[in-house]
Amino acid sequence: MDTKSSLSERDIITKYILPAIEQSGWNKQTQIREEVTFTAGRIFVKGKKTKRGEKKRADIIIYYKPNIPVAVVEAKDNTHTIGAGMQQALEYANTLDIPVAISSNGDGFIIQYRKNCGPQGTDLSDRQAGGKAIVSENADLEHFPTPDELWNCYKRYNGLASKEEEDTSLCSYYFDSTGRAPRYYQRIAINRTVEAIARGQNRILLVMATGTGKTYTAFQIIYRLWKSGCKKRILYLADRTNLITQTKKGDFKHFKDKCHIIRHKHIDKSYEIYLALYQGLTNYDEETDAYKQFSPDFFDLIIVDECHRGSVDEVKAWHKILSYFSSATQIGMTATPKETKALSNIEYFGEPIYTYSLKQGIDDGFLAPYKVLRVGMNIDLEGYRPERGKTDIDGELIEDRLYNTKDFDRNIVIDERTDLVARKIMEYLTNSDPMAKTIVFCVDIEHAERMHQALLKYAPQEITARSDKYIVRITGDDPVAKGYLEDFINPEQNFPVIATTSKLMSTGTDAQTCKVICLDENIGSMTEFKQIIGRGTRINEEYGKQYFTIIDFRNVTDKFADKDFDGAPVRIKESKQDDKLSEEIIDEGTGEEQIDPVTGKEVEFTEVVYGNENLEGYELGEDTPQYGAVVEPVETTRKKTYIKGVDVSILSERKQYLDADGRLITTSVKEYCKTGILTSYRSLDNFLQTWNDAEKKRAIIEELENQGIIFEELKDEIKNDLDIFDLICHIAWDAPALTRKERAENVRKRNYWTKYGDKARNVLNAILDKYAETGIEAIEDMKVLTVPPITDIGTPKEIIDSFGGKPQYLQAIRELEAEIYSAA
């Protein structure tokens, strides 16, 4: 009979921990979940290949109701102490927003109550005694906390004081036949929002990175509050047609005939859930605004999608909609809160009740990591000053001054620069994947059209012969663009592949399979930069989208180093300003006058309009305001100067990758990898001992890769035919390096395999060839027996039998590896 100390962790859970939990009144089928995986495993990019890192998994999570977790339990086998799992339990409880962390080894439990949510009293038998809340306590197997006890902890943790608040927080989620459930961060956002509303909070801000499912989160919030009767009429506000149509066809389809899109400013009060564009509710005339056909108290819940875009600007007509329905609970949702000296999401909605950042999404494996290719051209890095007497294409003399990237394609257009950018983009795609969905962000619509034509010059003819939609322009002035956009974001549509754009695709475009983002515009706004990067962060593994590449022609990716890029939003606006904002539009953070994206002209406005999305954000259709409807522009004609005959060349190219902490590597790949290796191994002898002792070398390689070492890129930078062993020793300790082919030849010279039979020798010889071709990882995998030319020798079973069985075959592989590295 097994003693308790000899049982595995799994046996301890099954025989001791689970029975103790059930004995306290918990339902095994509906309230106890084992081995709960809550992350997807970070994606590591290896050249053009990817692999997933380890997923995070909790041993046991206990739920009061589905998606309402009250405790996490971490188990250890009986050779550990009872509290050995507590640190892990607390880490998971913090990540998962669970009030109680529990550790056990099968002898009993240590229970830790977070944020003073514990019961009052001195021990488990005296729950009602007075005194301070218990922080930590021990319990034997017969006294695991009951459902009522842990539910009371949950209520204290979340500040649910009344029966009404409790009932609202317990309203059910929507479950469909697919079994879809919210990811952990979506569940936190949903629960915190519902509980905040239950407590009476009427302004709420949720910050979630692009691609993390804000619409699904909004759907579940609405569904829970609507079905419980807490909120009866709901308005979902957005500012772009594609955001509304995607939402209605997607997650909101479950509302069926209760849900309605307001079109043509026609108001029908018979529905319960409404979707609308800001501009679909206002005529920019206070007496005739469509939203005023509703009474001010008609809606009791409003969701403001992409709330950074205009809703907080008090002088805008859009903000007046929210003011009109001020009695309604209003939830702002965005990936990029707007915080400037003049405008503040936080001032209006309050501090975010939950933030899920891009970095966290990449770490968890729910968002795609990225690589950056920075391209520096001579005139961009050094500036361009026209030679004396230089004229434009119309023969006009060019103003003599130094032009830089702020001028290019805005004030002055250099044909050779446009051509070189297009050639570089197509060169990259041709060498990687010419069918990779690509967005090219340009300065304005005119620039987007020129870039469209320039790219066509270098497009592969075999592809353009198949479709005239290989490269298209998708901008707000073109009615045809709507169809192009729908096809571009549809993973099942191969064409269009490359889209040139200005502002229309910078936000609200669910481009799941976008693999390349090209930046050839000046982006002063951190908000806009985050939104643009968000076009690439979605993952679609079915279509091979697991990471994306950013090609930067204007040093825009310097913003990745800004502390505000992925940090918590910080309120900058100190107080409500009495003085009016400047009448001149300033693009956030740039200090530049605004350019109308339709006319390409510089304009000043008599009323503040949001950023450089003043018109192109609208898609041409029933709710598109005519230019001048929002404000009365005073145009200052800006004529672009077009020139040819300028020497434009690429001076520098630099690849950058994400490190293990989610930051872009700023040193060379070689220096970065050297630092990482020396951190893991204090000396060459230490590494050699670890390498030689390892039963499988792959384990060492994977461990280093999980720490951010990028071997595939390192091979490209140093020498591609080196063994990873030699690569490590060479860059870290400057040891002489042998190629894989040289190591293989050294093995053959020693002719060590004379002890094997003919067939086994042929197998080892073929495996050695495979090592020389691809590396040590390949020969450690049994799949090597299923690829030519090894398959010509026999089936895997026949090959293994020629060594006398699987153990003997594996031993032969270990001996072969020892011979490969014997010189080391």
Side-chain angles (χ1 to χ4, degrees):
M1 181 176 179
D2 291 334
T3 62
K4 197 171 186 179
S5 61
S6 68
L7 296 177
S8 67
E9 180 181 299
R10 171 46 40 197
D11 289 336
I12 290 292
I13 292 173
T14 302
K15 294 184 178 184
Y16 296 96
I17 298 176
L18 287 177
I21 297 173
E22 291 178 63
Q23 181 181 313
S24 288
W26 295 93
N27 186 303
K28 185 177 181 180
Q29 302 303 318
T30 60
Q31 294 181 304
I32 304 170
R33 288 184 60 197
E34 299 179 66
E35 297 184 348
V36 182
T37 299
F38 58 90
T39 70
R42 176 176 169 170
I43 294 174
F44 292 94
V45 182
K46 302 171 62 178
K48 295 180 182 179
K49 298 179 181 179
T50 60
K51 71 160 198 166
R52 288 275 188 180
E54 187 175 349
K55 300 177 182 179
K56 291 184 178 179
R57 184 176 66 186
D59 289 335
I60 299 170
I61 296 181
I62 300 173
Y63 297 83
Y64 191 72
K65 279 188 66 173
N67 291 310
I68 301 180
V70 292
V72 58
V73 182
E74 280 301 300
K76 297 295 180 183
D77 65 42
N78 201 246
T79 63
H80 291 79
T81 63
I82 294 178
M86 181 54 72
Q87 188 167 323
Q88 187 72 79
L90 284 170
E91 180 185 329
Y92 288 168
N94 181 61
T95 299
L96 300 173
D97 199 25
I98 296 176
V100 181
I102 301 173
S103 174
S104 179
N105 67 350
D107 287 340
F109 301 97
I110 289 184
I111 306 166
Q112 189 156 330
Y113 302 100
R114 304 178 61 232
K115 299 181 182 177
N116 295 320
C117 75
Q120 291 183 334
T122 56
D123 57 42
L124 283 163
S125 63
D126 185 20
R127 292 296 191 194
Q128 304 305 318
K132 295 198 315 185
I134 295 170
V135 175
S136 179
E137 62 183 338
N138 292 349
D140 56 36
L141 293 177
E142 287 72 37
H143 289 92
F144 187 85
T146 66
D148 283 345
E149 289 167 345
L150 287 184
W151 175 240
N152 285 331
C153 292
Y154 186 92
K155 288 191 293 181
R156 285 188 289 268
Y157 181 82
N158 290 293
L160 303 172
S162 69
K163 181 67 166 61
E164 184 181 356
E165 292 171 8
E166 179 180 352
D167 290 343
T168 300
S169 70
L170 284 172
C171 54
S172 298
Y173 277 71
Y174 177 83
F175 296 98
D176 60 19
S177 58
T178 66
R180 181 182 181 184
R183 293 169 175 168
Y184 83 86
Y185 61 85
Q186 294 169 336
R187 187 259 306 157
I188 295 172
I190 295 162
N191 287 353
R192 285 194 184 180
T193 301
V194 170
E195 288 156 9
I197 291 171
R199 294 192 301 269
Q201 188 172 328
N202 278 324
R203 297 291 182 268
I204 294 166
L205 180 61
L206 283 174
V207 179
M208 298 171 66
T210 300
T212 56
K214 288 191 294 294
T215 307
Y216 175 71
T217 300
F219 162 73
Q220 288 286 8
I221 291 169
I222 293 170
Y223 179 85
R224 293 183 67 195
L225 295 169
W226 174 63
K227 289 296 285 186
S228 69
C230 178
K231 302 295 181 184
K232 296 179 174 59
R233 287 192 287 248
I234 295 103
L235 174 63
Y236 182 92
L237 273 177
D239 70 337
R240 296 196 178 188
T241 302
N242 61 322
L243 292 175
I244 290 293
T245 54
Q246 287 173 190
T247 299
K248 181 69 163 61
K249 293 176 183 178
D251 296 310
F252 280 43
K253 67 178 180 288
H254 302 297
F255 290 128
K256 299 179 181 177
D257 60 355
K258 303 295 183 182
C259 187
H260 170 65
I261 296 179
I262 298 174
R263 299 182 188 277
H264 306 289
K265 300 181 175 64
H266 174 70
I267 303 301
D268 184 340
K269 300 179 184 177
S270 64
Y271 294 90
E272 296 177 47
I273 298 165
Y274 294 79
L275 293 87
L277 298 175
Y278 289 106
Q279 57 269 31
L281 290 178
T282 180
N283 298 315
Y284 306 98
D285 180 341
E286 290 191 8
E287 294 184 2
T288 61
D289 283 335
Y291 65 86
K292 291 187 177 178
Q293 295 179 45
F294 295 110
S295 64
D297 60 355
F298 184 86
F299 296 109
D300 44 22
L301 175 64
I302 298 177
I303 305 281
V304 186
D305 188 32
E306 305 290 1
C307 68
H308 64 280
R309 286 177 57 82
S311 61
V312 298
D313 191 340
E314 295 181 10
V315 300
K316 289 190 64 173
W318 295 356
H319 181 82
K320 293 176 182 178
I321 297 173
L322 300 184
S323 298
Y324 181 78
F325 297 113
S326 61
S327 63
T329 299
Q330 297 178 10
I331 303 171
M333 304 186 76
T334 180
T336 54
K338 192 173 186 67
E339 297 301 324
T340 70
K341 291 181 179 179
L343 302 173
S344 172
N345 280 126
I346 291 176
E347 180 185 48
Y348 184 81
F349 290 105
E351 293 288 340
I353 62 170
Y354 185 60
T355 297
Y356 189 73
S357 67
L358 172 63
K359 179 182 182 299
Q360 189 63 53
I362 292 174
D363 287 346
D364 288 342
F366 294 125
L367 294 179
Y370 50 87
K371 300 191 291 187
V372 176
L373 174 61
R374 293 172 62 119
V375 180
M377 289 174 279
N378 57 339
I379 60 172
D380 292 359
L381 299 175
E382 301 168 352
Y384 167 69
R385 183 178 180 184
E387 60 269 27
R388 185 186 297 273
K390 178 73 174 178
T391 58
D392 64 15
I393 60 173
D394 296 323
E396 297 287 333
L397 196 65
I398 301 169
E399 180 185 354
D400 181 18
R401 68 178 180 88
L402 189 67
Y403 296 87
N404 57 35
T405 54
K406 288 188 176 182
D407 298 297
F408 299 146
D409 300 298
R410 182 172 183 256
N411 303 318
I412 188 168
V413 175
I414 300 175
D415 272 7
E416 289 78 8
R417 186 187 183 283
T418 306
D419 185 81
L420 185 56
V421 170
R423 177 151 50 93
K424 185 62 190 175
I425 292 170
M426 287 311 310
E427 177 187 291
Y428 176 85
L429 292 174
T430 302
N431 292 336
S432 54
D433 177 8
M435 293 300 291
K437 291 285 181 83
T438 300
I439 305 175
V440 184
F441 287 96
C442 302
V443 169
D444 55 23
I445 290 175
E446 184 273 339
H447 182 204
E449 177 53 32
R450 276 189 292 107
M451 186 59 66
H452 170 222
Q453 296 300 324
L455 287 165
L456 283 171
K457 287 171 52 180
Y458 298 103
Q461 291 186 359
E462 63 273 15
I463 298 179
T464 53
R466 287 163 49 199
S467 172
D468 57 5
K469 293 196 299 181
Y470 178 59
I471 304 170
V472 299
R473 172 171 60 89
I474 300 179
T475 48
D477 67 318
D478 185 358
V480 179
K482 183 176 181 180
Y484 287 156
L485 179 60
E486 290 177 354
D487 287 343
F488 184 87
I489 66 176
N490 184 351
E492 296 181 357
Q493 293 290 338
N494 291 328
F495 298 95
V497 175
I498 303 171
T500 65
T501 189
S502 172
K503 302 297 178 189
L504 182 59
M505 297 178 73
S506 65
T507 186
T509 302
D510 187 7
Q512 297 178 23
T513 54
C514 176
K515 294 182 178 180
V516 182
I517 290 175
C518 302
L519 303 175
D520 194 28
E521 68 163 320
N522 304 310
I523 304 172
S525 161
M526 180 63 78
T527 297
E528 185 180 2
F529 177 67
K530 289 181 181 180
Q531 289 287 338
I532 286 174
I533 298 306
R535 299 316 102 207
T537 55
R538 288 171 173 83
I539 294 171
N540 190 321
E541 296 186 79
E542 180 182 353
Y543 290 88
K545 164 65 187 301
Q546 293 166 304
Y547 70 94
F548 67 106
T549 301
I550 303 164
I551 306 178
D552 179 11
F553 293 97
R554 304 216 182 198
N555 290 335
V556 179
T557 51
D558 283 345
K559 291 187 179 297
F560 280 127
D562 193 309
K563 61 180 176 58
D564 293 331
F565 172 69
D566 206 35
V570 176
R571 179 175 168 180
I572 299 173
K573 184 179 178 183
E574 295 182 359
S575 62
K576 188 176 179 66
Q577 296 182 354
D578 295 327
D579 54 319
K580 291 185 178 180
L581 298 175
S582 168
E583 291 182 353
E584 181 182 339
I585 277 296
I586 303 297
D587 187 9
E588 180 185 341
T590 66
E592 296 173 1
E593 298 89 349
Q594 201 55 54
I595 300 301
D596 169 19
V598 175
T599 65
K601 297 177 180 179
E602 178 182 309
V603 293
E604 292 182 353
F605 292 93
T606 58
E607 184 184 66
V608 174
V609 181
Y610 178 70
N612 44 16
E613 296 151 349
N614 51 338
L615 190 57
E616 198 193 335
Y618 302 109
E619 286 152 45
L620 300 179
E622 68 262 5
D623 289 322
T624 305
Q626 295 298 312
Y627 185 72
V630 182
V631 293
E632 295 180 2
V634 180
E635 296 188 358
T636 305
T637 303
R638 179 187 294 279
K639 180 184 176 184
K640 292 186 180 182
T641 300
Y642 295 82
I643 62 174
K644 294 182 178 181
V646 177
D647 177 29
V648 182
S649 60
I650 293 175
L651 290 186
S652 65
E653 287 188 38
R654 181 179 177 188
K655 294 180 182 178
Q656 292 182 296
Y657 309 89
L658 290 179
D659 66 14
D661 295 322
R663 296 188 295 261
L664 275 178
I665 298 168
T666 54
T667 61
S668 69
V669 174
K670 177 181 177 181
E671 285 302 313
Y672 170 74
C673 292
K674 177 179 180 178
T675 301
I677 293 165
L678 292 176
T679 301
S680 299
Y681 300 98
R682 61 183 181 274
S683 66
L684 177 58
D685 287 341
N686 178 225
F687 171 71
L688 292 177
Q689 182 177 348
T690 305
W691 183 269
N692 291 327
D693 290 347
E695 187 168 327
K696 285 197 172 183
K697 317 304 182 192
R698 178 195 296 269
I700 297 176
I701 296 168
E702 289 181 349
E703 182 181 343
L704 287 169
E705 286 176 336
N706 288 341
Q707 294 171 19
I709 307 299
I710 314 165
F711 285 117
E712 294 301 319
E713 306 300 341
L714 190 59
K715 288 178 183 177
D716 290 342
E717 189 171 303
I718 307 298
K719 198 174 182 184
N720 200 38
D721 59 352
L722 291 182
D723 187 285
I724 284 184
F725 169 85
D726 289 278
L727 203 58
I728 292 171
C729 295
H730 178 64
I731 69 161
W733 297 285
D734 203 27
L738 296 177
T739 65
R740 294 190 299 273
K741 185 176 180 182
E742 288 170 336
R743 287 194 175 277
E745 288 304 314
N746 287 341
V747 172
R748 289 194 175 93
K749 289 174 184 177
R750 291 193 290 273
N751 199 25
Y752 86 99
W753 43 43
T754 54
K755 64 180 179 180
Y756 297 105
D758 290 344
K759 188 169 188 176
R761 283 201 300 272
N762 289 338
V763 171
L764 291 172
N765 200 43
I767 288 175
L768 192 60
D769 284 336
K770 186 59 66 177
Y771 157 77
E773 178 186 342
T774 61
I776 196 68
E777 304 106 304
I779 74 172
E780 291 185 335
D781 193 332
M782 294 292 289
K783 291 179 182 177
V784 73
L785 302 181
T786 65
V787 295
I790 299 172
T791 50
D792 297 337
I793 302 172
T795 65
K797 184 179 185 307
E798 291 171 344
I799 290 172
I800 289 171
D801 288 345
S802 71
F803 288 88
K806 187 175 181 179
Q808 291 85 347
Y809 167 77
L810 293 176
Q811 178 59 32
I813 294 299
R814 284 192 288 271
E815 290 177 4
L816 178 59
E817 288 185 345
E819 289 294 325
I820 289 173
Y821 299 111
S822 64

